[in-house]
Amino acid sequence: HNLALCSDGTLAAWGAGGRGKLGYGDVSDRRLPVAVDQTGALAGKRVVAISAGYDTSLALCSDGTLFTWGGNQYGQLGDNTGADRNVPAAVDPNGVLSGRIVTAISSGDAHHLALCSDGTLATWGWNYSGQLGDGTQTDSRVPVLVARTGVLSGKEVVSAAACGSQNLCLCSDGTLVAWGYNGSGQLGNGGNSNSKVPVAVTLTGILSGKSVSRISVGSGHCLASCSDGTLAAWGLNSSGQLGDGSVITRKAPVAVDRSGFLSDKKTVAESAGNSH
């Protein structure tokens, strides 16, 4: 499904409507955009950012509050219930989000990731592969904090991205950290073991001495853009999604080939999908 934020603050959605993820009050598929219900929990709120997961949608409002709708079998709505919602409902603002202002959001298949103004990261939902980053494999119906000991100790996170069952964060010093599922090396740390806490992405090789400026996460691979125009990718490569001219899965970053169409081009935005 797709989710769109309009300049007047309204939300539109279209595509598969199962589990209520289009947010207009039922579970029917829609071939054309329909308005997300903003008469209930979202009434009077100004939405500033949106994110679509596999079976859920997530909205961030100008006051830092969060709202979700759709499937909730793993607690991915964050409303402390296990019930699906076909209209927006508030993510539990108590607990770890109390007193914190969320500034950025991202969605995985069945979990969500939120970056707060104080640099903390909150996650909720499915945790089978450790994608919540709290050191457990326990699903959570309310937000929990990503562990900031270890590689994130003393780091300032400037952007965060989730997809599939993994997460990737960019820190102000240019380092990258990842956690969650790693069956195809998408954590970029040279191994295949899942991680329940953040681990450092390998910055030797193609990323040595580079300044990473933007990140994106696909369902089984990751993409990073550097200030010098270099693009790096790692993880699953069965369809050539790493762009290095091979179909070899990579456990550490490799260079996206820029010798052809991208020769002399400057990329200004990047987005990773399922297998592209």
Side-chain angles (χ1 to χ4, degrees):
H1 72 295
N2 304 281
L3 190 61
L5 171 61
C6 302
S7 59
D8 63 358
T10 56
L11 296 171
W14 63 99
R19 310 192 80 99
K21 57 182 170 282
L22 299 189
Y24 60 85
D26 63 34
V27 295
S28 301
D29 298 347
R30 291 298 174 104
R31 297 180 181 179
L32 296 172
V34 293
V36 173
D37 189 316
Q38 292 178 253
T39 63
L42 278 178
K45 299 282 187 177
R46 183 168 67 90
V47 177
V48 295
I50 53 175
S51 183
Y54 178 74
D55 259 343
T56 57
S57 296
L58 173 64
L60 168 64
C61 294
S62 58
D63 61 0
T65 55
L66 296 168
F67 296 84
T68 52
W69 56 97
N72 201 19
Q73 65 270 45
Y74 302 107
Q76 61 264 48
L77 296 190
D79 63 350
N80 204 20
T81 78
D84 294 354
R85 304 275 189 170
N86 55 29
V87 293
V91 174
D92 192 332
N94 304 305
V96 302
L97 288 183
S98 179
R100 290 190 163 98
I101 301 296
V102 176
T103 58
I105 54 175
S106 190
S107 301
D109 278 354
H111 77 288
H112 295 288
L113 174 65
L115 173 61
C116 300
S117 59
D118 63 356
T120 55
L121 293 161
T123 53
W124 61 95
W126 198 30
N127 199 24
Y128 179 79
S129 301
Q131 57 263 53
L132 298 191
D134 65 344
T136 78
Q137 287 178 272
T138 304
D139 299 346
S140 182
R141 295 180 176 181
V142 296
V144 296
L145 291 181
V146 174
R148 293 188 63 83
T149 55
V151 298
L152 272 182
S153 179
K155 301 279 189 179
E156 178 191 2
V157 177
V158 294
S159 62
C163 190
S165 296
Q166 73 272 2
N167 310 270
L168 177 66
C169 289
L170 170 62
C171 299
S172 59
D173 63 357
T175 55
L176 297 169
V177 299
W179 66 94
Y181 184 67
N182 197 29
S184 299
Q186 54 263 65
L187 298 190
N189 65 340
N192 278 117
S193 298
N194 299 343
S195 183
K196 297 180 283 189
V197 295
V199 294
V201 174
T202 300
L203 293 182
T204 55
I206 184 59
L207 287 181
S208 179
K210 303 284 187 179
S211 175
V212 177
S213 52
R214 295 182 300 273
I215 56 173
S216 185
V217 181
S219 62
H221 70 292
C222 295
L223 182 64
S225 175
C226 300
S227 57
D228 67 353
T230 302
L231 290 171
W234 60 96
L236 187 64
N237 199 25
S238 56
S239 299
Q241 55 263 54
L242 300 190
D244 67 342
S246 80
V247 289
I248 301 170
T249 291
R250 308 286 188 175
K251 300 177 186 179
V254 294
V256 175
D257 191 309
R258 296 179 60 89
S259 63
F261 175 78
L262 285 180
S263 178
D264 299 322
K265 301 280 188 181
K266 179 182 179 181
T267 60
V268 296
E270 302 80 28
S271 182
N274 184 2
S275 298
H276 71 296

